[in-house]
Amino acid sequence: MTGYTETLDSNVQYHSPVPAEDQRAFARVDVPMYIVDVSQTKLVWANSAGLSFLGLSLSECIDASGTFRMDLPAPFDDLSYQRQLHSYLSRVTEEGRITECITVIPNSQPVSVYCSISPQPLITGNPALLVQVISEVGNEPEQVRSAQVLLYTTSMISMFDENGKLIFENPASRLNRPDGCEDLINRMCNRRDFDALLDELRKTGRANLVALMHSSQGERWFDLNARSGYDPYSGSRAILLSATDVTKRLKAEHEVRYLAHHDTLTGLANRSFLEIEAERYLDETRITGNPGALIFIDLDRFKTINDTLGHLVGDDLLVVIAKRLKEVVEGIGFVARLGGDEFVVLIANFADYDLLDDISREIRTALSKPCKVRGHMLQVTPSIGVCTYPEHGVDLDTLMRKADLAMYKAKDLGRDRICFFDVSMSREAEERVSLETALRQALRNHELAVHYQPRVCITTNRIVGAEGLLRWHHPTRGLVSAASFIEIAEEAGMIDEIGDWVAREAMLQQKQWALAGHNIAISINLSPAQFRRGRISQRLHRILLETGASASSIRLEITESALLSDANETLKELNALRDLGFTLEIDDFGTGYSNLGYLQRYPVTALKIDRSFIADTKRWPIVQMIVQMGRLLNLTLVAEGIETREQLRQIQKLQCHEYQGYLYSPAVSPHTFECLLKGQHTVTSPPTVGALA
């Protein structure tokens, strides 16, 4: 029920929830007094001194219904002041009375005052506070502003005695402090942080650290800045502490560090983190004297899965592989993903090499197991290279390089195997790098040449064509066959440039001989890598237009492996080449997956029987089968590697159409070949086998 009374110094009557007897008692006190309804965040009563202090009259505080009610004085907004009022209410409920410094701004003039706050019952039952002004802090600008800052800053500021007992705190600190954690030692989650803070204060008078502390929101991280000083009230030594909640910032920094050091797809460590951990692992092996190891893992034909099933399937497969790899080496080593389908395992202090071999085998077995990914049953195999510390290197870069060489050796040996590094791999790699560098210079220095080997009609023994074969006039090794460097050209990405150069030279030569009256066909070899890189028909068409050669006199020799790689795309390119007028032939026939199916599918006109069948008399039945197959499909049959008269007689019996080999002539320079064309003589004895074919 609302009370009804009138003040002692006015005849104005009003409604108030404050009991009448309390109003009469408080009204006689000549210091400012106020009663605050906490639930409504309103002043519901003030004595005459209180109204005078705020520069108000009683009539200004009565609303239309005749009820005393007014907003709390500026600068407090409802939300922030409501939190403070509930904090005061909680404290006075326990302590009975508290003293606070409060700043208000009556008539635009800020005033800071010390107030005594105690609980006050209301007739309505709402919780309320009795606020009595004890004294003003002072009206100097610095004093007023200092008090204002302490009240409204979000930083938690508190003062403790030299043993860490709380003697003062601002509202922000109070709101963030959980019950029962007044003393600094109880605020700290770890005793060592408290000891470290006091120790630094004793030494320098200042301390700064980030510590985990109890708060009203649970355990949180705070940036603490402390200074030694004195309590201005008692003069005793004290600790002034400011605390800023940095939990969100630290969490964000942790996430940034995690993303910087981990692969986002698999959650494994990335290359950056590998470099950090490698130092620790290598240090550990140095201290113990036991060997360490680096295992390099690459998934075989993983690109095929990405290309055929899509990157989502490939990514999910990598997640499965990463999980398996981590399970195998859990507690033994450190796993990282370098990128793509490459992984690394670091192992420190393995007991013996048998254990390292066992771990490598376990990795191979685990990764090779089939798994179901997005409805596809998949199985990939790993190629694994292993090197050891300190035997093969004492730093990460060296170990990575040598393990990588061992892994590539495993690839070369057929994939799905484990190879341990040995020094011969380094020598081979150095030779390949040296050869690659020299090959790039060869292109610039015009050291490459095309030699031509005659293709001879079996019945007339006359030259009917020529195969253009790439040669390298090496500065120190002399004339080098393409077989010794073409693979390096493919791996180094030079195959298109070299292939285009050979095609241009052969087409120019064909046109030159045709103008001289020797209108023979010239065949050139196309690498499987040229088909894999795409657009070969467009490049050859451009070269054909540049040279003005006759496409019908240019034969393109393709290996069976090129036909079987990405068959649909290859067929598309072959049809485009045929439509341009080129003649297509299969080179080294019989060494691949020879069958009638693809011979009928692809637009080829000739088969070149591989020299390995010609050289081995036990394999002549295979030659006979190839000839029969070719005749069935109405293809021209060319025997390669004819070196003896007996071999020539045998292919004559089988009724091949053409042959080439040392019996007639090795590959020779354009000038020498033109001499052969002019002479058109029949060789009576095999020439000296000195040149390279």
Side-chain angles (χ1 to χ4, degrees), residues 263 269-271 297-298 318 336-343:
D263 172 48
N270 59 14
R271 184 184 291 269
I297 302 157
D298 183 273
L318 288 174
R337 180 189 176 205
L338 297 182
D341 59 346
E342 294 181 335
F343 300 85

Side-chain angles (χ1 to χ4, degrees), residues 156 173 176-181 183-190 211-222:
M156 287 153 275
S173 176
N176 280 275
R177 174 174 55 80
D179 295 338
C181 290
D183 295 345
L184 186 56
I185 191 171
N186 295 327
R187 265 320 279 279
M188 299 278 193
C189 293
N190 299 307
L212 189 64
M213 301 182 71
H214 299 291
S215 78
S216 57
Q217 301 177 59
E219 293 184 352
R220 308 278 291 180
W221 290 97
F222 289 87

Side-chain angles (χ1 to χ4, degrees), residues 329-345:
V329 301
E330 190 74 40
I332 301 174
F334 174 82
V335 188
R337 180 189 176 205
L338 297 182
D341 59 346
E342 294 181 335
F343 300 85
V344 164
V345 175

Side-chain angles (χ1 to χ4, degrees), residues 268-501:
L268 295 178
N270 59 14
R271 184 184 291 269
S272 297
F273 199 15
L274 172 66
E275 293 174 356
I276 296 170
E277 283 296 294
E279 289 301 316
R280 185 175 68 83
Y281 271 72
L282 294 175
D283 286 343
E284 186 176 340
T285 57
R286 292 186 191 102
I287 293 170
T288 61
N290 294 328
L294 188 146
I295 303 174
F296 198 108
I297 302 157
D298 183 273
L299 303 182
D300 300 327
R301 299 185 178 90
F302 176 76
K303 184 178 183 297
T304 303
I305 293 175
N306 264 347
D307 292 345
T308 56
L309 301 180
H311 287 275
L312 291 178
V313 174
D315 286 350
D316 285 358
L317 177 59
L318 288 174
V319 172
V320 173
I321 293 296
K323 181 180 179 182
R324 290 179 177 179
L325 188 56
K326 194 171 182 179
E327 288 173 352
V328 171
V329 301
E330 190 74 40
I332 301 174
F334 174 82
V335 188
R337 180 189 176 205
L338 297 182
D341 59 346
E342 294 181 335
F343 300 85
V344 164
V345 175
L346 283 175
I347 298 175
N349 299 324
F350 61 88
D352 54 55
Y353 285 90
D354 289 339
L355 175 61
L356 182 59
D357 189 58
D358 290 342
I359 294 171
S360 302
R361 292 180 185 277
E362 285 183 30
I363 291 173
R364 179 188 174 197
T365 300
L367 302 192
S368 299
K369 291 179 180 178
C371 61
K372 193 170 185 178
V373 178
R374 292 182 179 258
H376 302 280
M377 186 57 69
L378 303 176
Q379 182 176 12
V380 292
T381 57
S383 292
I384 300 173
V386 186
C387 68
T388 59
Y389 167 88
E391 181 182 4
H392 299 138
V394 295
D395 60 84
L396 179 64
D397 287 343
T398 302
L399 294 172
M400 286 273 286
R401 178 169 53 82
K402 293 185 175 179
D404 190 38
L405 288 173
M407 183 275 293
Y408 273 106
K409 187 67 174 180
K411 294 273 190 187
D412 292 342
L413 294 175
R415 300 182 173 88
D416 187 21
R417 62 187 63 220
I418 303 164
C419 279
F420 283 74
F421 175 81
D422 64 57
V423 292
S424 65
M425 296 177 187
S426 283
R427 288 195 297 268
E428 291 174 5
E430 289 170 2
E431 289 176 3
R432 290 176 75 89
V433 171
S434 176
L435 193 60
E436 178 184 331
T437 302
L439 185 57
R440 292 187 186 279
Q441 293 175 343
L443 280 167
R444 294 192 295 268
N445 298 338
H446 308 291
E447 296 172 4
L448 299 182
V450 179
H451 283 201
Y452 298 90
Q453 185 173 39
R455 281 177 51 166
V456 185
C457 175
I458 281 183
T459 56
T460 65
N461 210 40
R462 294 181 65 85
I463 298 173
V464 293
E467 179 180 1
L469 297 170
L470 179 62
R471 296 291 184 262
W472 178 7
H473 290 284
H474 194 277
T476 58
R477 296 168 60 181
L479 195 63
V480 179
S481 168
S484 63
F485 63 83
I486 202 67
E487 182 180 346
I488 293 174
E490 291 176 347
E491 293 178 358
M494 293 186 284
I495 191 62
D496 283 347
E497 186 179 0
I498 291 176
D500 289 353
W501 181 86

